[in-house]
Amino acid sequence: MQRYEEAKQRLRGSIAPIVTPFYEDFTLDLDSLENLINWHIESGSHGVSVTGTTGEPSSLTVDERVRVMERALKAVNRRVPFVPGTGSTNHEETLYLTKKAEEMGVDAALVIVPYYNKPSQHALYKHFKAVADSVSIPIIVYNIPGRTGTNLEVKTLARLAEDCPNIIGVKESNKDFEHVNRVLLHCGRNFNLYSGIELLCYPMLAIGGAGSISATANIVPDKVAEIHNAWFDGDHQKALELHYELMPLNDVLFRDTNPAPVKAALGMLGKIKPVLRLPMDLPAKEIQTEVREVLSRYVEVPVE
């Protein structure tokens, strides 16, 4: 139990959910992944995650997901906590990837609510409990009903938190702010709540959240980290100002399905080749123009 309480304290702040870079032939670009991780750590990100939604896990084979995790773990090199996404719509695949992550020595695993299947709350409980029971590493549940078609109800999460000591928190990509308030009410105020909705990163800190796992951190990791630094240092006004400063960028990065605008922006910055695997693709030209215009307000964008 002490191990999990320590993990809750360590896994706080901006845990950046990094994209999976591809070459133009759609193969993995692991060198660019390593470069991104080094940039994030140098920019102040408090943790690193891969193969979550922003990392296009459903476009990767199981072997590729393992390769991404291995390279990312090596690049992080214990400088910050490492939390790979190991969830899938397939139960056995989730077990395999989560056990693999434990063998690698990760700090925690991010496990998404299974998508497409639309399981019942009873089935979700059985799924997450089986995953948690199969490993001893901390587990962060990932609830993103807009992408999975299923909302993990608070009562189900609270039951899991009570029955599985290694389930230490939840990433809530849930626009229902009443729901996320009730998470801490029923799971306990020491349960780690992370925002996966960019415009709720600051509000979730205000109600007792532990941090965020925000796609915007891919573009301005320093500013997203600074929101958390300011909040934890007690400078709530500075955190609030940064919250509003980032709002236009947050908005434009979701003008198309994540991570398409994020990858377009990273391509504009020369960080990666802006490549997604079908059925995902880059945003329409007009959206890319809008991304470039908004991006230029925050960072210097090289001329095309």
Side-chain angles (χ1 to χ4, degrees):
M1 291 292 291
Q2 181 63 28
R3 171 188 180 186
Y4 303 129
E5 292 304 315
E6 291 173 355
K8 289 178 183 178
Q9 294 304 312
R10 190 169 67 254
L11 294 165
R12 298 176 66 83
S14 173
I15 300 175
I18 297 177
V19 300
T20 301
F22 300 122
Y23 290 112
E24 290 175 345
D25 64 359
F26 305 106
T27 56
L28 293 175
D29 180 0
L30 298 180
D31 289 339
S32 290
L33 175 67
E34 183 167 342
N35 290 337
L36 286 174
I37 289 170
N38 288 330
W39 175 54
H40 272 275
I41 295 174
E42 291 163 4
S43 299
S45 291
H46 304 104
V48 164
S49 181
V50 297
T51 59
T53 301
T54 308
E56 297 174 78
S58 60
S59 296
L60 304 175
T61 66
V62 172
D63 178 66
E64 285 176 326
R65 291 183 67 170
V66 172
R67 289 174 59 200
V68 169
M69 289 193 294
E70 288 175 337
R71 184 63 174 270
L73 179 64
K74 181 179 178 181
V76 170
N77 194 27
R78 302 296 177 190
R79 290 177 289 172
V80 295
F82 176 52
V83 186
T86 60
S88 165
T89 192
N90 182 293
H91 179 70
E92 292 300 324
E93 191 173 287
T94 301
L95 289 173
Y96 172 78
L97 287 167
T98 309
K99 290 176 182 177
K100 201 74 175 174
E102 180 178 43
E103 291 171 7
M104 292 179 194
V106 306
D107 294 277
L110 181 68
V111 184
I112 195 170
V113 168
Y115 38 92
Y116 184 77
N117 292 329
K118 301 188 75 171
S120 68
Q121 295 300 307
H122 174 67
L124 285 173
Y125 172 84
K126 291 177 67 176
H127 169 72
F128 280 109
K129 188 173 189 308
V131 173
D133 288 348
S134 72
V135 295
S136 62
I137 55 172
I139 299 292
I140 299 170
V141 174
Y142 181 11
N143 188 31
I144 179 169
R147 296 286 285 252
T148 64
T150 302
N151 184 43
L152 181 66
E153 294 177 3
V154 173
K155 64 181 181 181
T156 306
L157 182 60
R159 185 181 171 202
L160 285 164
E162 182 177 354
D163 294 347
C164 307
N166 59 330
I167 293 183
I168 65 165
V170 61
K171 175 185 177 181
E172 282 285 356
S173 294
N174 195 324
K175 293 184 178 181
D176 182 350
F177 201 56
E178 291 185 9
H179 170 100
V180 297
N181 275 266
R182 292 191 175 100
V183 166
L184 291 182
L185 176 65
H186 294 286
C187 295
R189 298 280 292 279
N190 69 335
F191 193 69
N192 278 24
L193 172 66
Y194 305 91
S195 177
I197 298 290
E198 278 59 29
L199 295 188
L200 294 183
C201 290
Y202 175 86
M204 283 201 197
L205 288 172
I207 65 169
S212 68
I213 305 175
S214 162
T216 303
N218 279 276
I219 308 303
V220 284
D222 53 343
K223 289 185 179 292
V224 176
E226 188 56 29
I227 290 177
H228 298 80
N229 292 337
W231 180 267
F232 295 139
D233 287 344
D235 192 345
H236 299 166
Q237 186 60 36
K238 180 178 181 181
L240 182 61
E241 292 303 321
L242 284 164
H243 166 73
Y244 282 108
E245 179 185 335
L246 290 179
M247 195 174 290
L249 183 60
N250 289 332
D251 286 343
V252 80
L253 292 178
F254 286 85
R255 288 275 282 111
D256 198 348
T257 304
N258 182 47
V262 170
K263 278 198 158 181
L266 285 170
M268 294 170 193
L269 296 176
K271 298 291 186 183
I272 64 168
K273 295 188 181 302
V275 177
L276 296 91
R277 287 179 175 174
L278 292 171
M280 300 291 290
D281 200 3
L282 288 172
K285 290 295 183 183
E286 58 268 25
I287 295 178
Q288 292 192 49
T289 299
E290 186 180 353
V291 168
R292 177 176 286 274
E293 189 278 321
V294 174
L295 184 62
S296 66
R297 304 178 201 173
Y298 297 87
V299 294
E300 185 175 344
V301 182
V303 179
E304 290 183 281

